């Protein structure tokens, strides 16, 4: 089954179960400043879950465009390293707004995955996790659906871990949340990794395909958990991950859509091997960049635009690593439009604009990319320990337009780390200088980065897997 057919099959199944098919919402959350980008199917229904908004349906199903490249759910640094994470992906979901709850939600998911008329997945390859205290969910899976107890794993509130499933889903620091039950697929012993909850779960053997969330609470800004007016259901299944399962391949990058995209990227770069990690990064990033621009985001030095800029520059660097001469990234838009333009007509109608924006950003970054890389190489060659000095990170950022995560991406490939503290210090000194300079009306800015008439901005950085918001100079 092709990716596009699977998307349709899912929507059709849930439509037959009385769900209204609702179109994907924009990647730029409507009216929600707490959220960087749409990161789950439930985002567009947030107010419905909270009881603030009524719809003329109580069951809905969607295939939702999602970007996880900043904010609470940030997978940018996973891309190129795992078989299952993208910056952009589609989340298939079914939703109940105070209508059905645990029993129906679990049975719907199971029937779609294993039912004779649907995906017919072998039941013994599916593993289930439930929230440690959720006896009800455990019993439904075990006694009603018939999943043996040894394949149902109870998982607690494991907040510290980066990958580890915590089985308590939340959209962000505030908003609707609740215990969840996740369905994993075992890709077999030839892939490294252990069952969910085990120390080896970081691997790609047991892959989480579907998260079924029992929405019960609204977490307020001061951490209070208020019960929602009516318990509801929110589910999310990664289209690319379930397609990989169905196509009998283990990595998302091996599904039809990504194979075509990788082929196009390889052609543009003069015949690079399609299993190259950097090529996967490029193929991944073209989707998030193109879809973000189609939804109106423009590269800039702050907020959403800065995240887009970071993704484009990361792609440019990986292209450079593969030997790209000149701008290449924008040339992939045509292939992407061929592959996804039918499902997302807006992508097709924005093609020219996307190409223009990408080309411009690539050309701008090309002016400083090579020089910055040379500087970094020199510094790495001179390095005594295994930490890149803060001054270097700062110069790369300030003079050559390297977002910090880009420098970190290169460092990680060499097994090096960054001196974030030193970088902070250099940044603070820069701020001091800017403040002094501005008294005399001199505009201070970084070479190679567009000047936006601001002296300071807030950017999102992901450092060591922890999200921090930082203020830096333009
Ligand atoms: P993981 O633990 O693998 O990072 P998650 O628990 O963060 O996934 P959820 O927030 O539960 O993911 O999202 C619901 C579903 O969306 C997941 O079960 C998975 O199938 C899919 N998904 C999540 N993140 C990504 C991603 N970065 N790329 C592709 N699919 C994803
Ligand atoms: Mg995740
Ligand atoms: Mg998970
Ligand atoms: Mg999950």
């Amino acid at each position: 089954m092709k990716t596009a057919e699977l998307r349709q099959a899912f929507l059709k199944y849930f439509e037959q179960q009385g769900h209204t098919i609702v179109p994907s919402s924009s990647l730029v959350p409507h009216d929600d400043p707490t959220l960087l980008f749409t990161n789950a199917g439930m985002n567009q229904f947030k107010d419905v879950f909270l009881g603030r908004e009524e719809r003329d349906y109580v069951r809905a199903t969607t295939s939702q465009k999602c970007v996880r490249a900043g904010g609470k759910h940030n997978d940018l640094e996973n891309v190129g390293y795992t078989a299952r994470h993208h910056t952009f992906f589609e989340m298939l979901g079914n939703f109940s707004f105070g209508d059905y709850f645990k029993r129906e939600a679990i049975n719907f998911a199971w029937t779609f995955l294993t039912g004779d008329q649907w995906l017919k997945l072998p039941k013994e390859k599916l593993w289930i996790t439930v929230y440690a205290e959720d006896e009800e969910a455990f019993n439904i899976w075990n006694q009603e659906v018939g999943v043996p107890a040894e394949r149902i794993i109870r998982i607690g509130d494991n907040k510290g871990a980066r990958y580890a499933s915590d089985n308590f889903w939340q959209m962000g620091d505030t908003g609707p949340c609740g215990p969840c039950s996740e369905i994993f697929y075992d890709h077999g012993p030839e892939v490294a990794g252990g069952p969910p909850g085990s120390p080896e779960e970081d691997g790609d053997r047991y892959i989480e395909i579907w998260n079924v969330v029992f929405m019960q609470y609204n977490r307020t800004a001061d951490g209070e958990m208020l019960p929602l007016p009516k318990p509801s259901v929110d589910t999310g299944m990664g289209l690319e991950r379930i397609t990989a399962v169905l196509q009998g391949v283990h990595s998302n990058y091996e599904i039809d859509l990504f194979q075509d995209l990788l082929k196009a990227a390889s052609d543009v770069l003069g015949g690079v091997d399609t299993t190259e990690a950097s090529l996967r990064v490029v193929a991944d990033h073209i989707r998030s960049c193109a879809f973000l621009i189609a939804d109106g985001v423009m590269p800039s030095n702050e907020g959403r635009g800065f995240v887009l800029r970071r993704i484009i520059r990361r792609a440019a660097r990986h292209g450079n690593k593969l030997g790209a001469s000149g701008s290449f990234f924008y040339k992939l838009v045509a292939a992407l439009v061929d592959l996804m333009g039918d499902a997302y007509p807006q992508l097709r109608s924005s093609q020219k604009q996307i190409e223009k924006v990408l080309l411009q950003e690539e050309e701008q970054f090309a002016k400083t990319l090579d020089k910055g890389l040379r500087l970094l190489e020199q510094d790495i060659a001179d390095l005594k320990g295994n930490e890149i000095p803060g001054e270097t990170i700062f110069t790369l950022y300030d003079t050559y337009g390297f977002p910090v995560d880009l420098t970190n991406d290169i460092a990680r490939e060499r097994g090096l780390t960054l001196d974030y503290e030193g970088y902070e210090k250099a940044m603070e000194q820069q701020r001091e200088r800017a403040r002094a300079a501005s008294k005399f009306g001199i505009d201070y800015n970084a070479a190679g980065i567009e000047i936006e008439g601001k002296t300071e901005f807030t950017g999102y950085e992901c450092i060591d897997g922890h999200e921090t918001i930082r203020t830096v100079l333009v």
Side-chain angles (χ1 to χ4, degrees):
M1 211 188 270
K2 296 248 186 196
T3 309
E5 290 165 339
L6 201 41
R7 187 194 292 119
Q8 283 321 307
F10 182 91
L11 297 173
K12 190 170 145 210
Y13 169 76
F14 280 101
E15 188 177 40
Q16 286 183 10
Q17 315 301 326
H19 295 63
T20 299
I21 300 176
V22 178
S24 171
S25 63
S26 167
L27 284 169
V28 178
H30 170 72
D31 227 13
D32 189 348
T34 65
L35 192 60
L36 187 60
F37 295 121
T38 298
N39 62 21
M42 58 76 62
N43 294 167
Q44 67 165 316
F45 302 115
K46 182 178 162 185
D47 283 346
V48 189
F49 284 119
L50 292 174
R52 291 181 191 148
E53 192 191 324
E54 286 256 350
R55 299 274 170 106
D56 52 12
Y57 44 80
V58 289
R59 296 180 176 199
T61 182
T62 61
S63 178
Q64 173 68 49
K65 301 179 275 188
C66 294
V67 165
R68 293 190 174 184
K72 178 152 182 61
H73 295 270
N74 186 355
D75 288 326
L76 182 63
E77 317 218 339
N78 286 330
V79 173
Y81 289 90
T82 75
R84 66 189 195 279
H85 287 107
H86 300 299
T87 51
F88 170 96
F89 65 99
E90 286 176 82
M91 195 186 283
L92 303 167
N94 57 288
F95 308 92
S96 151
F97 309 113
D99 184 38
Y100 60 84
F101 201 44
K102 290 184 193 179
R103 171 162 295 108
E104 294 85 341
I106 288 173
N107 278 290
F108 283 151
W110 192 253
T111 305
F112 182 67
L113 292 177
T114 65
D116 275 349
Q117 295 175 336
W118 302 97
L119 304 191
K120 304 194 207 57
L121 294 185
K123 294 177 180 152
E124 66 283 1
K125 293 212 165 210
L126 297 170
W127 287 61
I128 306 297
T129 64
V130 295
Y131 189 53
E133 290 145 44
D134 196 346
E135 270 329 298
E136 191 187 356
F138 185 96
N139 288 334
I140 297 170
W141 279 117
N142 184 229
Q143 285 157 30
E144 296 178 31
V145 177
V147 178
E150 58 274 19
R151 286 208 309 273
I152 309 177
I153 297 172
R154 298 169 192 264
I155 290 193
D157 214 339
N158 192 358
K159 289 218 175 61
R162 176 143 168 78
Y163 296 107
S165 358
D166 58 18
N167 282 57
F168 196 91
W169 200 91
Q170 47 201 47
M171 182 184 101
D173 293 331
T174 61
C177 55
C180 63
S181 181
E182 296 188 321
I183 305 171
F184 286 69
Y185 184 80
D186 178 3
H187 280 268
E190 52 297 347
V191 186
S198 76
E200 304 82 33
E201 88 159 4
D202 274 12
D204 282 325
R205 173 171 170 181
Y206 296 84
I207 288 192
E208 177 191 325
I209 51 174
W210 203 340
N211 191 355
V212 181
V213 184
F214 311 120
M215 284 287 173
Q216 273 175 285
Y217 309 102
N218 177 22
R219 195 194 291 267
T220 66
D222 24 284
E224 228 186 319
M225 303 276 269
L226 305 174
L228 288 179
K230 292 176 196 158
S232 296
V233 169
D234 148 39
T235 88
M237 172 157 69
L239 173 62
E240 300 78 5
R241 292 190 192 183
I242 186 65
T243 304
V245 168
L246 242 78
Q247 294 184 357
V249 293
H250 133 255
S251 160
N252 283 7
Y253 292 94
E254 291 170 53
I255 67 174
D256 59 322
L257 188 143
F258 266 103
Q259 283 299 304
D260 291 346
L261 209 49
L262 283 162
K263 178 79 181 43
S266 169
D267 289 349
V268 163
L269 287 163
V272 176
D273 186 335
T274 54
T275 58
E276 278 281 351
S278 284
L279 199 70
R280 292 180 168 187
V281 173
V282 167
D284 171 88
H285 288 11
I286 190 61
R287 297 209 309 164
S288 48
C289 294
F291 275 95
L292 283 172
I293 297 167
D295 277 345
V297 182
M298 290 291 280
S300 81
N301 277 339
E302 57 184 346
R304 296 180 172 123
F306 187 52
V307 177
L308 172 61
R309 167 161 287 167
R310 282 163 52 187
I311 308 174
I312 299 173
R313 292 186 175 196
R314 198 168 184 264
R317 206 278 296 182
H318 280 278
N320 178 286
K321 205 177 152 200
L322 295 170
S325 52
S327 305
F328 70 96
F329 199 44
Y330 78 100
K331 291 183 190 157
L332 296 176
V333 179
L336 180 65
V337 167
D338 278 348
L339 291 165
M340 300 189 70
D342 286 345
Y344 296 96
Q346 202 193 339
L347 192 67
R348 180 163 283 135
S349 58
S350 316
Q351 181 175 345
K352 289 258 143 30
Q353 162 77 354
I354 301 167
E355 288 170 340
K356 201 175 113 203
V357 171
L358 289 180
L359 177 59
Q360 205 172 18
E361 181 71 12
E362 278 190 277
E363 284 180 337
Q364 197 186 338
F365 189 44
K367 290 184 200 143
T368 55
L369 175 62
D370 275 329
K371 280 195 206 122
L373 286 172
R374 250 178 282 142
L375 172 98
L376 183 58
E377 285 308 332
Q378 191 54 51
D379 274 30
I380 290 178
D382 297 342
L383 214 60
K384 297 276 181 304
N386 56 2
E387 194 178 60
I388 296 183
E391 271 300 329
T392 306
I393 310 167
F394 175 73
T395 308
L396 283 172
Y397 169 74
D398 189 54
T399 309
Y400 301 101
F402 281 41
V404 177
D405 62 69
L406 195 152
T407 306
N408 188 41
D409 194 41
I410 302 170
R412 188 171 159 198
E413 289 169 6
R414 317 284 180 87
L416 302 172
T417 56
L418 301 193
D419 170 18
Y420 289 110
E421 237 174 77
Y423 163 73
E424 281 299 323
K425 223 187 261 163
M427 196 62 106
E428 188 47 47
Q429 284 163 359
Q430 165 81 311
R431 262 180 228 127
E432 287 299 326
R433 287 197 296 273
R435 266 194 287 273
S438 71
K439 281 191 202 142
F440 300 99
I442 303 165
D443 225 5
Y444 216 96
N445 55 56
I449 300 182
E450 231 168 279
I451 306 157
E452 303 200 331
K454 284 185 183 139
T455 50
E456 289 187 19
F457 74 93
T458 305
Y460 301 83
E461 298 287 354
C462 179
I463 292 177
D464 279 348
H466 299 289
E467 209 63 33
T468 53
I469 293 182
R470 37 194 72 239
T471 313
V472 259
L473 266 169
V474 202

